Amino acid sequence: MKRIAFFDTKPYDKTYFDLHKENSGLEFKYFESKLNPDTVGMTAGFDGVVAFVNDDINADVIDKLYDNGIRVIAMRCAGYNNVNFKSAYKKIHIVRVPAYSPYAVAEHTMAMLLTLNRKTHKAYNRTRDFNFSLSGLVGFDLHGKTVGIIGTGKIGKIFINICRGFGLNVIAYDPYPDKTIDIEYVSLKELCSHSDIISLHCPLSESTRHIINEETLGLMKEGVYIINTSRGALIDSEALLEAIKSEKVGGAALDVYEEETDLFFEDFSGEIVYDDVLSRLISMPNVLVTSHQAFLTKEALENIATTTIDNLKDFFDDKPLANEVCYNCNKNGSCKKEHKERCF
Ligand code: NAD
């Protein structure tokens, strides 16, 4: 039986993977630690690895995994910016879960926007204390405002429909426009200058890193709201903090943060957190932070478990890998999957 090492595993992951364990023909070992240069040694004796968004799968980790006989990494997520694909190419196959529930992420995006705007998180705390004052809770109508969507893939498209349900005008920027949908595409500059709310739904890559920076923030309307449920490094956090302090940005809802790796998914409530930018952001009255939880629905966890297990079974059964991604897929899309419908 093939032995699989899971990293950064939480109780909710185990619940859904355990439901399908018996029929999988695989043996699971759950590690709570993240996969990184310090923990990669734990993979000795395993046949495959299951990793998540904040594991650090750099060149060094890839080499050690390879030396340990690992030939497949199953990402139990859609994004894969934390994997060094150049090092993995021709050594370790990387499979992922391309879509487990785009609804989960799009719905959380709207939940964050509504909370930030209507301040229900503050109202909840007040009324629990029998404080029924409304001062400081003024929001604005979403109806008639303009939301700019950066990235119109699976999640972006669903969020567009949700926004339209609220009567928002929607504009979008995507270098690869989807001609099948009815949406007004504009340049990034136009999106920045015309939007009351900007929501990020593109992947993190060299071309999108810090797409929200001092310059693009400077183009935006006074009081703009920024929502990021995609990847933290899409935003230059220090530039965002300055824009919040100067009141250029009226509110920010962040499910992801560029330096989240060592913090998110863990409880630091009894400790001192040394990330001054995050601490200052969290201290702002108009910033809402959730801990990379947009994906966290029952449906998504179920789909993540079943697709990850299928990906692993396909790998070990020498079958085509429909959900494989490689260096060439990422670099220029030149990968034709010509080797038994695998990347190599
Ligand atoms: P997708 O691949 O379906 O869509 C991404 C879109 O971004 C595509 O239309 C693509 O053309 C566009 N894009 C590429 N480069 C761009 C650029 N420079 N500027 C603007 N758009 C660009 O992906 P998806 O399933 O919609 O997911 C989007 C992102 O959401 C993922 O990359 C991931 O980082 C993030 N995500 C977050 C969570 C969470 O829990 N917070 C969960 C799942 C996914």
Side-chain angles (χ1 to χ4, degrees), residues 10-25:
K10 297 285 180 276
Y12 45 83
D13 297 311
K14 286 186 209 166
T15 303
Y16 285 87
F17 275 95
D18 279 349
L19 282 176
H20 302 280
K21 191 166 63 176
E22 274 186 25
N23 298 330
S24 73

Side-chain angles (χ1 to χ4, degrees), residues 100 105 153-155 174-176 203 208 229-231 255 292 295:
Y100 39 84
V105 182
K154 292 177 283 297
I155 296 169
D174 193 315
Y176 312 99
T208 59
T229 55
S230 240
R231 283 293 180 267
D255 184 52
H292 208 135
F295 73 100

Side-chain angles (χ1 to χ4, degrees), residues 78-81 96 98-102 105 150-157 173-177 200-205 207-208 211 228-231 234 255-256 292-296:
Y80 43 74
N81 51 283
R96 65 166 183 146
Y100 39 84
S101 173
V105 182
I150 300 183
T152 56
K154 292 177 283 297
I155 296 169
K157 280 197 277 256
Y173 165 70
D174 193 315
Y176 312 99
L200 291 158
H201 299 287
C202 58
L204 176 62
S205 66
S207 69
T208 59
I211 195 168
N228 188 7
T229 55
S230 240
R231 283 293 180 267
L234 295 175
D255 184 52
V256 285
H292 208 135
Q293 95 177 59
F295 73 100
L296 199 64

Side-chain angles (χ1 to χ4, degrees), residues 74-340:
M75 301 300 294
R76 56 176 200 279
C77 49
Y80 43 74
N81 51 283
N82 50 333
V83 180
N84 188 320
F85 277 92
K86 197 171 182 179
S87 301
Y89 192 55
K90 302 241 168 169
K91 284 183 178 166
I92 299 181
H93 293 265
I94 314 288
V95 286
R96 65 166 183 146
V97 186
Y100 39 84
S101 173
Y103 300 100
V105 182
E107 289 169 14
H108 189 78
T109 308
M110 183 47 88
M112 293 194 88
L113 172 56
L114 288 172
T115 306
L116 185 67
N117 176 24
R118 303 306 300 271
K119 303 164 180 60
T120 40
H121 54 318
K122 297 186 184 189
Y124 173 79
N125 283 329
R126 283 189 193 184
T127 55
R128 283 173 68 83
D129 218 13
F130 297 94
N131 173 357
F132 300 113
S133 153
L134 297 183
S135 301
L137 300 186
V138 179
F140 59 83
D141 285 10
L142 292 183
H143 187 271
K145 300 293 184 304
T146 296
V147 60
I149 312 286
I150 300 183
T152 56
K154 292 177 283 297
I155 296 169
K157 280 197 277 256
I158 293 166
F159 188 59
I160 288 170
N161 283 337
I162 293 174
C163 287
R164 285 181 170 153
F166 279 81
L168 281 151
N169 303 316
V170 186
I171 55 175
Y173 165 70
D174 193 315
Y176 312 99
D178 184 340
K179 298 197 174 69
T180 66
I181 56 168
D182 174 25
I183 180 85
E184 183 189 350
Y185 281 105
V186 295
S187 69
L188 181 61
K189 272 188 178 173
E190 284 171 303
L191 181 138
C192 289
S193 53
H194 292 143
S195 301
D196 301 294
I197 300 150
I198 293 176
S199 192
L200 291 158
H201 299 287
C202 58
L204 176 62
S205 66
E206 279 321 303
S207 69
T208 59
R209 182 174 297 275
H210 288 186
I211 195 168
I212 304 297
N213 55 37
E214 194 181 344
E215 192 188 332
T216 45
L217 283 161
L219 299 169
M220 293 177 195
K221 285 185 176 182
E222 293 293 318
V224 63
Y225 270 34
I226 297 176
I227 320 290
N228 188 7
T229 55
S230 240
R231 283 293 180 267
L234 295 175
I235 299 182
D236 176 343
S237 312
E238 290 188 31
L240 175 67
L241 179 58
E242 288 311 312
I244 289 167
K245 286 204 257 183
S246 69
E247 298 182 26
K248 174 82 177 179
V249 168
L254 310 172
D255 184 52
V256 285
Y257 171 63
E258 62 179 326
E259 302 297 335
E260 71 180 46
T261 308
D262 294 331
L263 293 169
F264 281 18
F265 309 137
E266 309 300 335
D267 179 3
F268 290 99
S269 55
E271 294 176 41
I272 291 167
V273 167
Y274 291 99
D275 186 322
D276 290 349
V277 175
L278 180 64
S279 303
R280 193 77 179 95
L281 283 169
I282 287 175
S283 77
M284 293 288 175
N286 53 353
V287 174
L288 178 68
V289 174
T290 53
S291 176
H292 208 135
Q293 95 177 59
F295 73 100
L296 199 64
T297 65
K298 292 177 191 174
E299 291 80 0
L301 289 168
E302 171 70 20
N303 289 337
I304 286 171
T306 52
T307 308
T308 302
I309 290 170
D310 287 348
N311 286 341
L312 287 166
K313 281 175 20 186
D314 287 346
F315 174 79
F316 291 117
D317 293 346
D318 221 14
K319 288 188 179 160
L321 294 177
N323 295 324
E324 182 174 16
V325 267
C326 75
Y327 180 59
N328 282 337
C329 298
N330 277 324
K331 200 174 63 172
N332 47 18
S334 66
C335 179
K336 301 276 182 289
K337 297 208 175 191
E338 281 167 348
H339 310 267
K340 294 193 213 161

